[in-house]
């Protein structure tokens, strides 16, 4: 029997800056390597929400893109919060990381209300945090990506950091941490794309999805030589 995993790509038309679509492609490839058949459903503003969802991915965008999707996201808030509370794995990058928090105040003072899946708040700042970044995570080990944002994000008690910054800025210039995690929902500023260089996070998303839908997960692959070369190349590049 073919074991399908349904991946929702959230707002790819507006939230696909710095190659975040690569996360969808990398997750498809990794899922197939583990013996699953991934089915990607793109959900843009106004599109129907699928009946079954195993994984949700979202990317970043300019403030204008966030403004276009914010209203639609709030209309789906109850559905998405229910999925998150039920353990559906999700990865939100940059702009959607911000909108999965309580609110995002742009650098012009406009307030975009988020959906509160993650206990974070963000303000647009004057300082731009840009360059290759390395963080240390107790669960995923060394995570490597590329940050390019001026959002200053602060975590509340309901979320824990994805990791501690070893190189780079992270959520803000002060706290020394990057990303946020509540249950199986991960938010992060790491572009790059993130998943091609960090298969451990792909395996987490796939594993949690498989356990929820099929009752178990037996990994079929571990080391990814291509990903390792990309990781090392990124670490060697100056910020």
């Amino acid at each position: 029997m073919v074991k399908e995993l349904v991946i929702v790509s959230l707002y790819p038309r507006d939230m696909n800056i710095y190659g975040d679509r690569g996360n969808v492609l990398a997750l498809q490839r990794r899922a197939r390597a583990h013996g699953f058949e991934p089915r990607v459903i793109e959900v843009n503003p106004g599109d129907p929400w699928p009946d079954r969802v195993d994984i949700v991915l979202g990317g970043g965008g300019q403030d204008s893109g966030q403004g276009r999707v914010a209203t639609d996201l709030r209309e789906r808030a109850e559905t998405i919060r229910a999925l998150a509370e039920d353990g559906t794995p999700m990865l939100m990058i940059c702009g959607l990381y911000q909108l999965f928090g309580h609110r995002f105040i742009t650098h012009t003072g406009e307030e975009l209300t988020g959906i509160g899946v993650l206990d974070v708040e963000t303000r647009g700042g004057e300082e731009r945090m840009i360059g290759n970044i390395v963080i240390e995570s107790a669960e995923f080990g060394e995570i490597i990506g590329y940050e390019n944002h001026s959002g200053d994000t602060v975590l509340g008690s309901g979320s824990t950091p994805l990791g501690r910054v070893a190189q780079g800025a992270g959520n803000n210039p002060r706290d020394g941490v990057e990303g946020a995690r509540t249950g199986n929902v991960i938010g992060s500023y790491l572009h790059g794309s993130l998943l091609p260089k960090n298969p451990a996070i792909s395996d987490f998303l796939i594993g949690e999805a498989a356990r929820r839908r099929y009752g178990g997960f037996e990994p079929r692959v571990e080391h990814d030589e291509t990903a390792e070369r990309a990781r090392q190349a990124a670490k060697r590049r100056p910020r």
Side-chain angles (χ1 to χ4, degrees), residues 63 66-68 70-71 74 98-99 101-115 120-124:
D63 288 357
Q66 286 176 274
R68 284 192 293 272
T71 299
R74 287 193 296 271
Q98 295 168 348
L99 291 179
H102 299 298
R103 62 176 181 163
F104 170 51
I105 301 175
T106 72
H107 71 285
T108 62
E110 179 185 4
E111 181 173 331
L112 300 177
T113 302
I115 62 173
V120 305
E121 291 196 358
T122 304
R123 287 182 176 268

Side-chain angles (χ1 to χ4, degrees), residues 167-183:
Q167 171 189 317
N171 286 331
N172 59 61
R174 305 173 302 281
D175 295 341
V177 297
E178 205 288 322
R181 172 95 177 263
T182 298

Side-chain angles (χ1 to χ4, degrees), residues 15-75:
M15 308 298 283
N16 180 32
I17 202 168
Y18 308 128
D20 289 329
R21 175 169 166 74
N23 289 329
V24 178
L25 299 176
L27 194 65
Q28 287 179 278
R29 177 178 178 273
R30 193 74 174 176
R32 290 192 181 101
H34 284 301
F36 297 97
E37 182 54 42
R39 180 163 66 95
V40 175
I41 299 176
E42 295 188 353
V43 175
N44 288 296
D47 289 343
W49 190 261
D51 293 333
R52 172 170 286 282
V53 176
D54 295 308
I55 302 172
V56 184
L57 298 180
Q62 304 290 349
D63 288 357
S64 58
Q66 286 176 274
R68 284 192 293 272
V69 306
T71 299
D72 187 84
L73 181 64
R74 287 193 296 271
E75 292 173 353

